[in-house]
Amino acid sequence: MDRASPGAATPGANRWRRFEDWDARPLRLDKFARENPDAGFCAHGSPYDPRPSVTIENGRLAVMDGVRAEDFDMIDTFIAAHHLDLAVAEEAMAMDSRQVARMLVDINVPRAEVERL
């Protein structure tokens, strides 16, 4: 037999042909679709994405990402009701996104500090 048996350990090689087929598939290589912001197909960084923002009036969220609270869709309503702490929302929005990203991966930043934001 010229191929290793499924139970045999072969360092650095695929043991089954199907893995070779999967490795060659475009889906795995993420080349099957091109981002197209004009058609609404863009994972992130679209020129049509709203500028992140929050406006708090009388202790309530009035505007998020340029949309008034009464015009929120289902996802925005859920985020506003369950995932924003209005006491720190403006502080968090003022932070540079790179600073927040560094906090998420820095083991020296206490978890409580990240969760607070």
Side-chain angles (χ1 to χ4, degrees):
M1 181 185 276
D2 59 342
R3 295 187 75 84
S5 64
T10 307
N14 287 327
R15 293 179 300 207
W16 296 288
R17 184 175 187 91
R18 70 173 176 235
F19 290 140
E20 293 170 6
D21 294 340
W22 288 346
D23 288 344
R25 285 186 181 175
L27 178 63
R28 181 187 171 283
L29 301 174
D30 196 17
K31 293 180 183 173
F32 70 101
R34 304 249 185 262
E35 289 193 356
N36 183 351
D38 292 328
F41 185 69
C42 190
H44 59 83
S46 167
Y48 303 110
D49 286 346
R51 299 280 309 152
S53 65
V54 294
T55 303
I56 300 169
E57 295 174 355
N58 301 321
R60 299 185 59 100
L61 184 64
V63 180
M64 181 170 66
D65 298 343
V67 178
R68 298 214 41 88
E70 57 269 11
D71 298 326
F72 284 172
D73 62 14
M74 183 173 61
I75 294 172
D76 289 339
T77 301
F78 183 82
I79 290 169
H82 301 288
H83 292 285
L84 292 182
D85 181 352
L86 299 183
V88 296
E90 290 177 330
E91 173 191 353
M93 291 299 297
M95 294 178 70
D96 181 64
S97 59
R98 290 173 292 212
Q99 179 184 0
V100 175
R102 287 185 194 106
M103 290 174 67
L104 290 170
V105 299
D106 186 348
I107 62 171
N108 296 309
V109 175
R111 178 182 176 144
E113 185 176 340
V114 176
E115 287 178 345
R116 183 183 71 78
L117 296 172

